[in-house]
Amino acid sequence: MTDQSSSHATSYEIVCLEHQGSYLYAEVIQTIETRQRSWVRPLFLQLTTQSSEPAYPAQGLFSFRLQNCADLVWPSQFFRPAMDDEVLPFLLQMHTEKPQDQEDPKVVSERDRKAHQALRQMIQQVWQAFPDAFASE
């Protein structure tokens, strides 16, 4: 968890939420300072997997585009500004890939399903690891 209490993310900034080898990159839509929350739009998720995880083969690196995932309102303390060298390769890849409307709908659907599942798993892991951060105000 990153404590960013001294600096606030600004709209359109790309931030990163890190947790146990997972990196969620998201664009800040709005910072809700009174609630210490950030409204973010997920862009991509990078996972470093271990061989003990049944959903993935051996240890490796997996990346998911998240453009079809729902926005999140999340405690701001979890985010840190993303570094350019972290984000630029993903943005370049997204820019050079074939547009979704030119791909087979079944391929797009399966890729989106896997991306949603990976994002849900990461969110659940963070909730379980830091329950106090999500307690009612």
Side-chain angles (χ1 to χ4, degrees), residues 14 21 35 41-43 46-47 62 68 75 84-85 89 109 111 120-122 126 136:
I14 297 178
R35 294 187 58 218
R41 179 157 297 141
L43 297 173
Q46 181 177 337
L47 303 175
F62 293 88
N68 293 327
D84 292 346
D85 60 347
S109 177
R111 187 175 56 229
R120 268 193 317 272
Q121 287 175 346
M122 181 185 181
V126 175
S136 299

Side-chain angles (χ1 to χ4, degrees), residues 14-18 22-25 44 46 63 80-93:
I14 297 178
V15 293
C16 180
L17 186 158
E18 295 180 44
S22 298
Y23 301 86
L24 170 63
Y25 295 93
F44 42 90
Q46 181 177 337
S63 298
R80 65 164 174 81
M83 298 291 151
D84 292 346
D85 60 347
E86 292 176 276
V87 176
L88 289 176
F90 291 105
L91 295 177
L92 180 61
Q93 178 185 353

